[in-house]
Amino acid sequence: MINRLCAVVEDYPKPGITFRDLTPVFADGPALRAIVDSLIEPFAGGFDAVAGIEARGFLLAAAAAYSAGVGVITVRKPNKLPRRAYTEHYALEYGSSSLQMHMDDLTPGSRVLVLDDVLATGGTLAATTRLFASAGVRLAGIGVVLELNGLRGRSALAGHRVRSLARV
């Protein structure tokens, strides 16, 4: 279902890159339900909240949190949050970036399931795991819809339980 519905866009965002667009998968109601159920099933009962990474991770996290009856946490790009926030910096191929989370969204000791659309190099997800660690929050696991095997992102998440629904 994921491979059938996923749009493959060549040379985006730059020549030589094959972009896998999951928005058609999310637009299909039965597919979205199946994805959310499959992402949270192995972690059932093991998390107090679901976190989504900006931006497509928000879609998955909100649906998963609703389905599981828990709260949703947003992991945002810099300068998007109005209250005091934890910040985690990380390296990109040509520069750096950071992610933020409100300091009072979760209490220390809480358990969070992190969801995102794609696991590529693992930099964003690894930064997210460090962000929650700095907040004293325990990581229940990481769920992604699509994992790009050639970029070896899973190695950046060593020690964490990772669930991916499709690999290319």
Side-chain angles (χ1 to χ4, degrees), residues 2-33:
I2 294 169
N3 290 331
R4 178 177 54 83
L5 294 170
C6 182
V8 177
V9 182
E10 298 296 335
D11 297 320
Y12 183 84
K14 62 183 185 178
I17 302 292
T18 300
F19 186 81
R20 309 233 185 242
D21 182 7
L22 291 169
T23 56
V25 181
F26 300 154
D28 183 283
L32 179 61
R33 180 182 296 273

PDB file of all heavy atoms in Angstrom, residues 2-33:
ATOM      1  N   ILE A   2       1.916   1.289   0.843  1.00  0.00           N
ATOM      2  CA  ILE A   2       2.776   2.470   0.889  1.00  0.00           C
ATOM      3  C   ILE A   2       3.459   2.669  -0.457  1.00  0.00           C
ATOM      4  O   ILE A   2       3.427   3.775  -1.019  1.00  0.00           O
ATOM      5  CB  ILE A   2       3.810   2.356   2.026  1.00  0.00           C
ATOM      6  CG1 ILE A   2       3.100   2.369   3.376  1.00  0.00           C
ATOM      7  CG2 ILE A   2       4.844   3.473   1.945  1.00  0.00           C
ATOM      8  CD1 ILE A   2       3.971   1.997   4.553  1.00  0.00           C
ATOM      9  N   ASN A   3       4.056   1.618  -0.985  1.00  0.00           N
ATOM     10  CA  ASN A   3       4.739   1.732  -2.276  1.00  0.00           C
ATOM     11  C   ASN A   3       3.771   2.074  -3.412  1.00  0.00           C
ATOM     12  O   ASN A   3       4.123   2.826  -4.323  1.00  0.00           O
ATOM     13  CB  ASN A   3       5.499   0.453  -2.600  1.00  0.00           C
ATOM     14  CG  ASN A   3       6.699   0.264  -1.691  1.00  0.00           C
ATOM     15  OD1 ASN A   3       7.281   1.223  -1.209  1.00  0.00           O
ATOM     16  ND2 ASN A   3       7.042  -0.978  -1.431  1.00  0.00           N
ATOM     17  N   ARG A   4       2.571   1.549  -3.344  1.00  0.00           N
ATOM     18  CA  ARG A   4       1.579   1.798  -4.395  1.00  0.00           C
ATOM     19  C   ARG A   4       1.117   3.252  -4.397  1.00  0.00           C
ATOM     20  O   ARG A   4       0.943   3.859  -5.448  1.00  0.00           O
ATOM     21  CB  ARG A   4       0.380   0.854  -4.199  1.00  0.00           C
ATOM     22  CG  ARG A   4      -0.744   1.040  -5.212  1.00  0.00           C
ATOM     23  CD  ARG A   4      -1.875   0.038  -5.015  1.00  0.00           C
ATOM     24  NE  ARG A   4      -2.435  -0.012  -3.680  1.00  0.00           N
ATOM     25  CZ  ARG A   4      -3.369   0.834  -3.216  1.00  0.00           C
ATOM     26  NH1 ARG A   4      -3.830   1.792  -3.971  1.00  0.00           N
ATOM     27  NH2 ARG A   4      -3.828   0.709  -1.978  1.00  0.00           N
ATOM     28  N   LEU A   5       0.939   3.831  -3.213  1.00  0.00           N
ATOM     29  CA  LEU A   5       0.404   5.189  -3.109  1.00  0.00           C
ATOM     30  C   LEU A   5       1.471   6.287  -3.079  1.00  0.00           C
ATOM     31  O   LEU A   5       1.185   7.435  -3.376  1.00  0.00           O
ATOM     32  CB  LEU A   5      -0.470   5.306  -1.859  1.00  0.00           C
ATOM     33  CG  LEU A   5      -1.753   4.484  -1.858  1.00  0.00           C
ATOM     34  CD1 LEU A   5      -2.406   4.502  -0.479  1.00  0.00           C
ATOM     35  CD2 LEU A   5      -2.714   4.980  -2.918  1.00  0.00           C
ATOM     36  N   CYS A   6       2.686   5.950  -2.694  1.00  0.00           N
ATOM     37  CA  CYS A   6       3.759   6.929  -2.590  1.00  0.00           C
ATOM     38  C   CYS A   6       4.112   7.489  -3.971  1.00  0.00           C
ATOM     39  O   CYS A   6       4.275   6.738  -4.926  1.00  0.00           O
ATOM     40  CB  CYS A   6       4.993   6.274  -1.969  1.00  0.00           C
ATOM     41  SG  CYS A   6       6.376   7.383  -1.718  1.00  0.00           S
ATOM     42  N   ALA A   7       4.207   8.809  -4.067  1.00  0.00           N
ATOM     43  CA  ALA A   7       4.610   9.448  -5.321  1.00  0.00           C
ATOM     44  C   ALA A   7       6.133   9.576  -5.334  1.00  0.00           C
ATOM     45  O   ALA A   7       6.728  10.056  -4.366  1.00  0.00           O
ATOM     46  CB  ALA A   7       3.971  10.826  -5.452  1.00  0.00           C
ATOM     47  N   VAL A   8       6.748   9.133  -6.401  1.00  0.00           N
ATOM     48  CA  VAL A   8       8.200   9.226  -6.544  1.00  0.00           C
ATOM     49  C   VAL A   8       8.494  10.388  -7.489  1.00  0.00           C
ATOM     50  O   VAL A   8       8.021  10.408  -8.625  1.00  0.00           O
ATOM     51  CB  VAL A   8       8.793   7.909  -7.080  1.00  0.00           C
ATOM     52  CG1 VAL A   8      10.293   8.038  -7.287  1.00  0.00           C
ATOM     53  CG2 VAL A   8       8.469   6.759  -6.130  1.00  0.00           C
ATOM     54  N   VAL A   9       9.268  11.351  -7.000  1.00  0.00           N
ATOM     55  CA  VAL A   9       9.578  12.552  -7.768  1.00  0.00           C
ATOM     56  C   VAL A   9      11.088  12.594  -7.988  1.00  0.00           C
ATOM     57  O   VAL A   9      11.864  12.716  -7.034  1.00  0.00           O
ATOM     58  CB  VAL A   9       9.109  13.824  -7.024  1.00  0.00           C
ATOM     59  CG1 VAL A   9       9.393  15.070  -7.861  1.00  0.00           C
ATOM     60  CG2 VAL A   9       7.634  13.720  -6.662  1.00  0.00           C
ATOM     61  N   GLU A  10      11.497  12.484  -9.224  1.00  0.00           N
ATOM     62  CA  GLU A  10      12.928  12.513  -9.565  1.00  0.00           C
ATOM     63  C   GLU A  10      13.458  13.944  -9.551  1.00  0.00           C
ATOM     64  O   GLU A  10      12.733  14.887  -9.853  1.00  0.00           O
ATOM     65  CB  GLU A  10      13.156  11.890 -10.946  1.00  0.00           C
ATOM     66  CG  GLU A  10      12.761  10.427 -11.045  1.00  0.00           C
ATOM     67  CD  GLU A  10      13.580   9.496 -10.162  1.00  0.00           C
ATOM     68  OE1 GLU A  10      14.739   9.844  -9.813  1.00  0.00           O
ATOM     69  OE2 GLU A  10      13.057   8.428  -9.794  1.00  0.00           O
ATOM     70  N   ASP A  11      14.718  14.069  -9.189  1.00  0.00           N
ATOM     71  CA  ASP A  11      15.439  15.348  -9.213  1.00  0.00           C
ATOM     72  C   ASP A  11      14.781  16.427  -8.355  1.00  0.00           C
ATOM     73  O   ASP A  11      14.732  17.602  -8.728  1.00  0.00           O
ATOM     74  CB  ASP A  11      15.603  15.837 -10.660  1.00  0.00           C
ATOM     75  CG  ASP A  11      16.440  14.878 -11.483  1.00  0.00           C
ATOM     76  OD1 ASP A  11      17.434  14.353 -10.946  1.00  0.00           O
ATOM     77  OD2 ASP A  11      16.087  14.626 -12.651  1.00  0.00           O
ATOM     78  N   TYR A  12      14.275  16.027  -7.201  1.00  0.00           N
ATOM     79  CA  TYR A  12      13.697  16.975  -6.253  1.00  0.00           C
ATOM     80  C   TYR A  12      14.249  16.676  -4.872  1.00  0.00           C
ATOM     81  O   TYR A  12      14.281  15.523  -4.476  1.00  0.00           O
ATOM     82  CB  TYR A  12      12.161  16.881  -6.224  1.00  0.00           C
ATOM     83  CG  TYR A  12      11.543  17.895  -5.297  1.00  0.00           C
ATOM     84  CD1 TYR A  12      11.312  19.195  -5.728  1.00  0.00           C
ATOM     85  CD2 TYR A  12      11.228  17.566  -3.979  1.00  0.00           C
ATOM     86  CE1 TYR A  12      10.771  20.135  -4.863  1.00  0.00           C
ATOM     87  CE2 TYR A  12      10.692  18.498  -3.121  1.00  0.00           C
ATOM     88  CZ  TYR A  12      10.464  19.774  -3.568  1.00  0.00           C
ATOM     89  OH  TYR A  12       9.941  20.712  -2.708  1.00  0.00           O
ATOM     90  N   PRO A  13      14.724  17.627  -4.143  1.00  0.00           N
ATOM     91  CA  PRO A  13      14.711  19.064  -4.379  1.00  0.00           C
ATOM     92  C   PRO A  13      15.860  19.569  -5.242  1.00  0.00           C
ATOM     93  O   PRO A  13      15.936  20.759  -5.540  1.00  0.00           O
ATOM     94  CB  PRO A  13      14.816  19.652  -2.972  1.00  0.00           C
ATOM     95  CG  PRO A  13      15.572  18.636  -2.196  1.00  0.00           C
ATOM     96  CD  PRO A  13      15.187  17.297  -2.794  1.00  0.00           C
ATOM     97  N   LYS A  14      16.745  18.643  -5.642  1.00  0.00           N
ATOM     98  CA  LYS A  14      17.826  19.038  -6.547  1.00  0.00           C
ATOM     99  C   LYS A  14      18.162  17.850  -7.435  1.00  0.00           C
ATOM    100  O   LYS A  14      17.804  16.702  -7.137  1.00  0.00           O
ATOM    101  CB  LYS A  14      19.048  19.540  -5.770  1.00  0.00           C
ATOM    102  CG  LYS A  14      19.700  18.512  -4.862  1.00  0.00           C
ATOM    103  CD  LYS A  14      20.849  19.132  -4.087  1.00  0.00           C
ATOM    104  CE  LYS A  14      21.573  18.070  -3.283  1.00  0.00           C
ATOM    105  NZ  LYS A  14      22.713  18.596  -2.557  1.00  0.00           N
ATOM    106  N   PRO A  15      18.854  18.087  -8.535  1.00  0.00           N
ATOM    107  CA  PRO A  15      19.193  16.991  -9.456  1.00  0.00           C
ATOM    108  C   PRO A  15      19.914  15.842  -8.755  1.00  0.00           C
ATOM    109  O   PRO A  15      20.758  16.055  -7.890  1.00  0.00           O
ATOM    110  CB  PRO A  15      20.100  17.668 -10.490  1.00  0.00           C
ATOM    111  CG  PRO A  15      19.697  19.111 -10.456  1.00  0.00           C
ATOM    112  CD  PRO A  15      19.334  19.384  -9.010  1.00  0.00           C
ATOM    113  N   GLY A  16      19.520  14.628  -9.117  1.00  0.00           N
ATOM    114  CA  GLY A  16      20.132  13.436  -8.556  1.00  0.00           C
ATOM    115  C   GLY A  16      19.431  12.877  -7.335  1.00  0.00           C
ATOM    116  O   GLY A  16      19.742  11.782  -6.880  1.00  0.00           O
ATOM    117  N   ILE A  17      18.487  13.623  -6.778  1.00  0.00           N
ATOM    118  CA  ILE A  17      17.750  13.179  -5.598  1.00  0.00           C
ATOM    119  C   ILE A  17      16.409  12.596  -6.040  1.00  0.00           C
ATOM    120  O   ILE A  17      15.703  13.189  -6.855  1.00  0.00           O
ATOM    121  CB  ILE A  17      17.492  14.353  -4.613  1.00  0.00           C
ATOM    122  CG1 ILE A  17      18.799  14.996  -4.167  1.00  0.00           C
ATOM    123  CG2 ILE A  17      16.640  13.909  -3.434  1.00  0.00           C
ATOM    124  CD1 ILE A  17      19.671  14.127  -3.300  1.00  0.00           C
ATOM    125  N   THR A  18      16.073  11.437  -5.498  1.00  0.00           N
ATOM    126  CA  THR A  18      14.753  10.849  -5.715  1.00  0.00           C
ATOM    127  C   THR A  18      13.943  11.068  -4.445  1.00  0.00           C
ATOM    128  O   THR A  18      14.266  10.515  -3.391  1.00  0.00           O
ATOM    129  CB  THR A  18      14.852   9.339  -6.021  1.00  0.00           C
ATOM    130  OG1 THR A  18      15.638   9.167  -7.201  1.00  0.00           O
ATOM    131  CG2 THR A  18      13.479   8.726  -6.222  1.00  0.00           C
ATOM    132  N   PHE A  19      12.916  11.905  -4.543  1.00  0.00           N
ATOM    133  CA  PHE A  19      12.083  12.269  -3.393  1.00  0.00           C
ATOM    134  C   PHE A  19      10.887  11.342  -3.324  1.00  0.00           C
ATOM    135  O   PHE A  19      10.193  11.135  -4.318  1.00  0.00           O
ATOM    136  CB  PHE A  19      11.617  13.717  -3.524  1.00  0.00           C
ATOM    137  CG  PHE A  19      10.869  14.228  -2.327  1.00  0.00           C
ATOM    138  CD1 PHE A  19      11.551  14.678  -1.206  1.00  0.00           C
ATOM    139  CD2 PHE A  19       9.479  14.268  -2.325  1.00  0.00           C
ATOM    140  CE1 PHE A  19      10.870  15.161  -0.103  1.00  0.00           C
ATOM    141  CE2 PHE A  19       8.793  14.745  -1.226  1.00  0.00           C
ATOM    142  CZ  PHE A  19       9.480  15.198  -0.117  1.00  0.00           C
ATOM    143  N   ARG A  20      10.642  10.775  -2.163  1.00  0.00           N
ATOM    144  CA  ARG A  20       9.489   9.902  -1.950  1.00  0.00           C
ATOM    145  C   ARG A  20       8.444  10.699  -1.178  1.00  0.00           C
ATOM    146  O   ARG A  20       8.598  10.954   0.011  1.00  0.00           O
ATOM    147  CB  ARG A  20       9.903   8.670  -1.175  1.00  0.00           C
ATOM    148  CG  ARG A  20      11.116   8.022  -1.821  1.00  0.00           C
ATOM    149  CD  ARG A  20      10.926   6.596  -2.113  1.00  0.00           C
ATOM    150  NE  ARG A  20      12.154   6.024  -2.620  1.00  0.00           N
ATOM    151  CZ  ARG A  20      12.261   5.505  -3.827  1.00  0.00           C
ATOM    152  NH1 ARG A  20      11.233   5.464  -4.627  1.00  0.00           N
ATOM    153  NH2 ARG A  20      13.403   5.000  -4.231  1.00  0.00           N
ATOM    154  N   ASP A  21       7.385  11.090  -1.878  1.00  0.00           N
ATOM    155  CA  ASP A  21       6.337  11.937  -1.322  1.00  0.00           C
ATOM    156  C   ASP A  21       5.220  11.065  -0.748  1.00  0.00           C
ATOM    157  O   ASP A  21       4.483  10.415  -1.490  1.00  0.00           O
ATOM    158  CB  ASP A  21       5.798  12.861  -2.413  1.00  0.00           C
ATOM    159  CG  ASP A  21       4.741  13.809  -1.915  1.00  0.00           C
ATOM    160  OD1 ASP A  21       4.494  13.873  -0.695  1.00  0.00           O
ATOM    161  OD2 ASP A  21       4.127  14.490  -2.765  1.00  0.00           O
ATOM    162  N   LEU A  22       5.091  11.088   0.565  1.00  0.00           N
ATOM    163  CA  LEU A  22       4.084  10.270   1.237  1.00  0.00           C
ATOM    164  C   LEU A  22       2.731  10.953   1.375  1.00  0.00           C
ATOM    165  O   LEU A  22       1.791  10.339   1.880  1.00  0.00           O
ATOM    166  CB  LEU A  22       4.593   9.858   2.622  1.00  0.00           C
ATOM    167  CG  LEU A  22       5.751   8.867   2.617  1.00  0.00           C
ATOM    168  CD1 LEU A  22       6.356   8.732   4.011  1.00  0.00           C
ATOM    169  CD2 LEU A  22       5.293   7.521   2.098  1.00  0.00           C
ATOM    170  N   THR A  23       2.596  12.195   0.924  1.00  0.00           N
ATOM    171  CA  THR A  23       1.313  12.867   1.103  1.00  0.00           C
ATOM    172  C   THR A  23       0.151  12.149   0.419  1.00  0.00           C
ATOM    173  O   THR A  23      -0.950  12.152   0.975  1.00  0.00           O
ATOM    174  CB  THR A  23       1.370  14.355   0.696  1.00  0.00           C
ATOM    175  OG1 THR A  23       1.828  14.479  -0.641  1.00  0.00           O
ATOM    176  CG2 THR A  23       2.288  15.133   1.635  1.00  0.00           C
ATOM    177  N   PRO A  24       0.327  11.475  -0.735  1.00  0.00           N
ATOM    178  CA  PRO A  24      -0.804  10.703  -1.275  1.00  0.00           C
ATOM    179  C   PRO A  24      -1.187   9.515  -0.386  1.00  0.00           C
ATOM    180  O   PRO A  24      -2.355   9.118  -0.338  1.00  0.00           O
ATOM    181  CB  PRO A  24      -0.297  10.202  -2.631  1.00  0.00           C
ATOM    182  CG  PRO A  24       0.818  11.117  -2.995  1.00  0.00           C
ATOM    183  CD  PRO A  24       1.438  11.538  -1.696  1.00  0.00           C
ATOM    184  N   VAL A  25      -0.238   8.978   0.336  1.00  0.00           N
ATOM    185  CA  VAL A  25      -0.520   7.891   1.280  1.00  0.00           C
ATOM    186  C   VAL A  25      -1.378   8.432   2.420  1.00  0.00           C
ATOM    187  O   VAL A  25      -2.375   7.830   2.815  1.00  0.00           O
ATOM    188  CB  VAL A  25       0.781   7.266   1.825  1.00  0.00           C
ATOM    189  CG1 VAL A  25       0.482   6.121   2.783  1.00  0.00           C
ATOM    190  CG2 VAL A  25       1.682   6.797   0.688  1.00  0.00           C
ATOM    191  N   PHE A  26      -1.003   9.605   2.944  1.00  0.00           N
ATOM    192  CA  PHE A  26      -1.752  10.215   4.038  1.00  0.00           C
ATOM    193  C   PHE A  26      -3.143  10.660   3.597  1.00  0.00           C
ATOM    194  O   PHE A  26      -4.067  10.726   4.401  1.00  0.00           O
ATOM    195  CB  PHE A  26      -0.996  11.414   4.618  1.00  0.00           C
ATOM    196  CG  PHE A  26       0.362  11.084   5.173  1.00  0.00           C
ATOM    197  CD1 PHE A  26       1.345  12.047   5.225  1.00  0.00           C
ATOM    198  CD2 PHE A  26       0.674   9.816   5.646  1.00  0.00           C
ATOM    199  CE1 PHE A  26       2.605  11.769   5.745  1.00  0.00           C
ATOM    200  CE2 PHE A  26       1.931   9.517   6.164  1.00  0.00           C
ATOM    201  CZ  PHE A  26       2.890  10.495   6.214  1.00  0.00           C
ATOM    202  N   ALA A  27      -3.300  10.978   2.327  1.00  0.00           N
ATOM    203  CA  ALA A  27      -4.593  11.437   1.806  1.00  0.00           C
ATOM    204  C   ALA A  27      -5.603  10.301   1.661  1.00  0.00           C
ATOM    205  O   ALA A  27      -6.801  10.550   1.533  1.00  0.00           O
ATOM    206  CB  ALA A  27      -4.393  12.126   0.453  1.00  0.00           C
ATOM    207  N   ASP A  28      -5.140   9.074   1.701  1.00  0.00           N
ATOM    208  CA  ASP A  28      -6.009   7.905   1.581  1.00  0.00           C
ATOM    209  C   ASP A  28      -6.410   7.452   2.992  1.00  0.00           C
ATOM    210  O   ASP A  28      -5.569   6.981   3.758  1.00  0.00           O
ATOM    211  CB  ASP A  28      -5.246   6.797   0.840  1.00  0.00           C
ATOM    212  CG  ASP A  28      -6.074   5.566   0.601  1.00  0.00           C
ATOM    213  OD1 ASP A  28      -6.261   4.788   1.570  1.00  0.00           O
ATOM    214  OD2 ASP A  28      -6.530   5.375  -0.536  1.00  0.00           O
ATOM    215  N   GLY A  29      -7.691   7.603   3.322  1.00  0.00           N
ATOM    216  CA  GLY A  29      -8.165   7.306   4.677  1.00  0.00           C
ATOM    217  C   GLY A  29      -7.816   5.915   5.179  1.00  0.00           C
ATOM    218  O   GLY A  29      -7.235   5.782   6.269  1.00  0.00           O
ATOM    219  N   PRO A  30      -8.151   4.855   4.431  1.00  0.00           N
ATOM    220  CA  PRO A  30      -7.803   3.510   4.909  1.00  0.00           C
ATOM    221  C   PRO A  30      -6.287   3.306   5.050  1.00  0.00           C
ATOM    222  O   PRO A  30      -5.837   2.632   5.974  1.00  0.00           O
ATOM    223  CB  PRO A  30      -8.390   2.587   3.836  1.00  0.00           C
ATOM    224  CG  PRO A  30      -9.522   3.375   3.248  1.00  0.00           C
ATOM    225  CD  PRO A  30      -9.041   4.809   3.270  1.00  0.00           C
ATOM    226  N   ALA A  31      -5.510   3.902   4.164  1.00  0.00           N
ATOM    227  CA  ALA A  31      -4.050   3.780   4.256  1.00  0.00           C
ATOM    228  C   ALA A  31      -3.537   4.494   5.498  1.00  0.00           C
ATOM    229  O   ALA A  31      -2.687   3.953   6.224  1.00  0.00           O
ATOM    230  CB  ALA A  31      -3.379   4.339   3.005  1.00  0.00           C
ATOM    231  N   LEU A  32      -4.037   5.692   5.759  1.00  0.00           N
ATOM    232  CA  LEU A  32      -3.608   6.441   6.942  1.00  0.00           C
ATOM    233  C   LEU A  32      -3.944   5.662   8.209  1.00  0.00           C
ATOM    234  O   LEU A  32      -3.109   5.543   9.111  1.00  0.00           O
ATOM    235  CB  LEU A  32      -4.247   7.830   6.977  1.00  0.00           C
ATOM    236  CG  LEU A  32      -3.895   8.695   8.185  1.00  0.00           C
ATOM    237  CD1 LEU A  32      -2.399   8.963   8.264  1.00  0.00           C
ATOM    238  CD2 LEU A  32      -4.677  10.000   8.143  1.00  0.00           C
ATOM    239  N   ARG A  33      -5.138   5.113   8.283  1.00  0.00           N
ATOM    240  CA  ARG A  33      -5.529   4.331   9.456  1.00  0.00           C
ATOM    241  C   ARG A  33      -4.606   3.117   9.641  1.00  0.00           C
ATOM    242  O   ARG A  33      -4.134   2.841  10.750  1.00  0.00           O
ATOM    243  CB  ARG A  33      -6.967   3.858   9.349  1.00  0.00           C
ATOM    244  CG  ARG A  33      -7.411   3.029  10.568  1.00  0.00           C
ATOM    245  CD  ARG A  33      -8.829   2.522  10.434  1.00  0.00           C
ATOM    246  NE  ARG A  33      -9.802   3.573  10.403  1.00  0.00           N
ATOM    247  CZ  ARG A  33     -10.369   4.127  11.488  1.00  0.00           C
ATOM    248  NH1 ARG A  33     -10.028   3.688  12.682  1.00  0.00           N
ATOM    249  NH2 ARG A  33     -11.258   5.079  11.361  1.00  0.00           N
TER     250      ARG A  33
END
